[in-house]
Amino acid sequence: MVTGKGGTGKTTVAAALALALAAEGRRVLLAEVEERQGIAQLFETDALPYTERRIASASGGGEVHALAIDAELAMLDYLDMFYKLGRAGRALKKLGAIDFATTVAPGLRDVLLTGKVCEAVRRKDKAGWPVYDAVVLDAPPTGRITRFLNVNDEVAGLARVGPIHNQAQAVMRVLKSPQTAIHLVTLLEEMPVQETMDGVAELRAAGLPVGAVIVNMVRPVLLADAELAELDSPAAGGKANGSAAKRRAALAKALSQAGLGGARRGGVAERLVDPLLAQAHEHAERVVLEREQRAEIAGLGLPVRELELLGAGMDLGGLYRLAESLRKQAAVFTRPAGTPTDPSDDGEDVQ
């Protein structure tokens, strides 16, 4: 499962992780639950239906299938599986009863969504082996991920017996098992990092398995440490400072030699010095702040992976590039979801 603060690119990371798994020869299901069709946009394909559809292949021979989970349709599946309502369930949908139920009881919606994901994890073929080697979920944001995943525990406590109780318990067994890992996506900025730290604390308190922190959109460091330290000093931009004056003169001369005008006072090259030094100073400040955020992330004691910022924006080629980066960083942190120890042991039915 992949979560993160809004704007950190969690959907992109979820898609890249699915491709990275497929590059290892796996058959992967990539699912979303927020009705945004973000996966379809990334893979430049038509809107995803409630039925699973192959959307990508990987060089390693694997495939990525995708699914947009709809709470109302998941409710129909649930009613048919446990109560054999069939047509009656579809009649309820026409009357608006299912939409009413999932709106009035938000917890029910989360139960249905997580149940559908876990059903895909536990699904077996005729030989008793998992249909998918791995399932990747583009999960809700960090602010509500614990509530989203833990709602089945609450339902199991409220409904002591019956199919609802059994289903909720079966879902929580999957979510809290070694089959599952919840990865958190962040940026090297104060607010996303703080939300990531809060999210990790909440997940750990709930007994949910935390995977790794994936730092997205990492910008390169363009200067050496000595240059960064000099630029980040209080006198870095001061014209009266001796070393600063020498730096300005050397930079103006270099610009002039590159054909950008005269280096003398008032020359074109000389007038470019202040804007360039200001940018360099901002870069040095950013690098210092990012290193502070990296230290905060390291304090969580979790695996950390980094994905570069793609300057040209995100397209399908960029998505494959990120997937390859994740694969090289060994970002597949758990064994494939649904891998059985005994192919005949299919456990309880989970919807």
Side-chain angles (χ1 to χ4, degrees):
M1 299 192 178
V2 180
T3 183
K5 182 178 174 12
T8 59
K10 69 177 180 65
T11 299
T12 298
V13 172
L17 180 56
L19 284 171
L21 286 158
E24 299 291 333
R26 294 181 172 98
R27 179 182 171 91
V28 182
L29 176 64
L30 174 60
E32 66 177 21
V33 293
E34 296 184 278
E35 302 178 357
R36 295 189 297 108
Q37 290 293 337
I39 293 172
Q41 294 175 34
L42 280 171
F43 284 91
E44 301 173 7
T45 186
D46 295 335
L48 296 177
Y50 184 66
T51 54
E52 292 144 36
R53 185 178 78 204
R54 186 172 69 86
I55 60 169
S57 299
S59 57
E63 298 179 339
V64 176
H65 295 246
L67 168 68
I69 303 177
D70 178 270
E72 288 188 39
L73 295 176
M75 180 72 155
L76 290 177
D77 280 353
Y78 180 87
L79 293 174
D80 186 46
M81 178 176 290
F82 291 104
Y83 297 100
K84 311 302 180 187
L85 288 186
R87 293 181 180 177
R90 290 190 288 274
L92 287 173
K93 184 179 187 307
K94 290 181 180 179
L95 293 172
I98 292 177
D99 180 56
F100 176 78
T102 55
T103 302
V104 171
L108 174 60
R109 182 180 183 277
D110 291 347
V111 167
L112 296 168
L113 297 175
T114 53
K116 183 64 177 177
V117 175
C118 289
E119 181 274 328
V121 172
R122 300 285 292 272
R123 193 187 311 158
K124 304 293 192 296
D125 60 20
K126 292 180 180 179
W129 295 99
V131 172
Y132 292 105
D133 298 306
V135 176
V136 178
L137 175 64
D138 177 19
T142 319
R144 79 177 198 93
I145 185 64
T146 304
R147 168 71 177 169
F148 172 75
L149 296 178
N150 218 34
V151 69
N152 288 277
D153 237 355
E154 298 176 15
V155 170
L158 292 173
R160 298 291 181 180
V161 295
I164 294 178
H165 173 83
N166 293 338
Q167 188 248 5
Q169 279 199 324
V171 169
M172 289 312 300
R173 279 198 295 273
V174 172
L175 295 181
K176 292 188 175 183
S177 76
Q179 289 177 292
T180 301
I182 304 163
H183 307 308
L184 295 95
V185 182
T186 188
L187 306 178
L188 289 175
E189 298 173 4
E190 186 175 356
M191 288 185 64
V193 169
Q194 184 60 54
E195 188 161 318
T196 297
M197 296 176 68
D198 293 342
V200 169
E202 290 178 5
L203 290 167
R204 284 172 168 167
L208 291 163
V210 182
V213 176
I214 301 177
V215 183
N216 196 22
M217 294 187 255
V218 175
R219 290 174 286 187
V221 177
L222 304 175
L223 300 171
D225 284 353
E227 294 170 319
L228 290 170
E230 186 179 0
L231 285 164
D232 195 48
S233 66
K239 295 182 180 180
N241 181 278
S243 61
K246 290 180 181 179
R247 186 192 313 116
R248 289 174 51 80
L251 182 55
K253 182 178 179 181
L255 291 171
S256 179
Q257 290 174 343
L260 295 177
R264 295 178 180 275
R265 183 177 297 277
V268 174
E270 196 272 340
R271 293 200 302 271
L272 291 173
V273 169
D274 283 338
L276 286 173
L277 286 176
Q279 289 187 11
H281 183 67
E282 290 174 6
H283 176 75
E285 288 183 327
R286 175 178 63 79
V287 171
V288 170
L289 292 174
E290 288 180 348
R291 287 177 176 174
E292 291 174 355
Q293 299 309 312
R294 276 195 178 91
E296 295 283 348
I297 293 169
L300 293 170
L302 295 170
V304 179
R305 302 295 183 267
E306 295 193 358
L307 293 174
E308 64 180 307
L309 174 66
L310 299 180
M314 180 53 60
D315 57 13
L316 196 54
L319 193 60
Y320 275 89
R321 180 173 170 179
L322 295 182
E324 180 62 14
S325 177
L326 281 177
R327 192 185 67 80
K328 288 181 177 179
Q329 294 181 72
V332 183
F333 307 106
T334 60
R335 66 190 177 92
T339 302
T341 54
D342 179 353
S344 65
D345 179 17
D346 57 0
E348 297 183 39
D349 287 336
V350 181
Q351 168 54 39

